[in-house]
Amino acid sequence: MTLTEERVEQNDRPPAPHGGMLDWLTTTDHKKVGILYMVTAFGFFMLGGLLAMLIRAELFEPGQQVVSQGGFNQLFTMHGSIMMFLF
């Protein structure tokens, strides 16, 4: 087999998918999986930080109602759960 015939055989294969969202979500490449872990952890860190800011806004001044009492309990629980288990 000559070099030219080998190149023709290689060009007959369909190109490998690259760059799409499905490629990223179904990858087994360890580098991409690591990046996905970091992006997901950062996203949950940002969500937990947003909940923390809402909690701080509620506690900033006595009597100020940013969220209801039940909403505050839910914010507090969600913030703790996200920061402990997802971040």
Side-chain angles (χ1 to χ4, degrees), residues 55-76:
I55 292 169
R56 292 273 182 177
E58 178 67 33
L59 298 174
F60 181 68
E61 188 176 319
Q64 179 182 358
Q65 285 298 113
V66 177
V67 294
S68 67
Q69 291 177 355
F72 180 81
N73 289 338
Q74 290 175 359
L75 283 175
F76 196 82

Side-chain angles (χ1 to χ4, degrees), residues 21-61:
M21 181 66 81
L22 185 62
D23 179 50
W24 273 88
L25 294 177
T26 59
T27 188
T28 56
D29 180 19
H30 67 282
K31 294 179 291 287
K32 286 185 178 182
V33 170
I35 291 170
L36 288 173
Y37 269 110
M38 289 189 293
V39 167
T40 303
F42 184 72
F44 280 117
F45 176 70
M46 296 302 288
L47 180 61
L50 177 68
L51 296 176
M53 288 194 315
L54 286 172
I55 292 169
R56 292 273 182 177
E58 178 67 33
L59 298 174
F60 181 68
E61 188 176 319

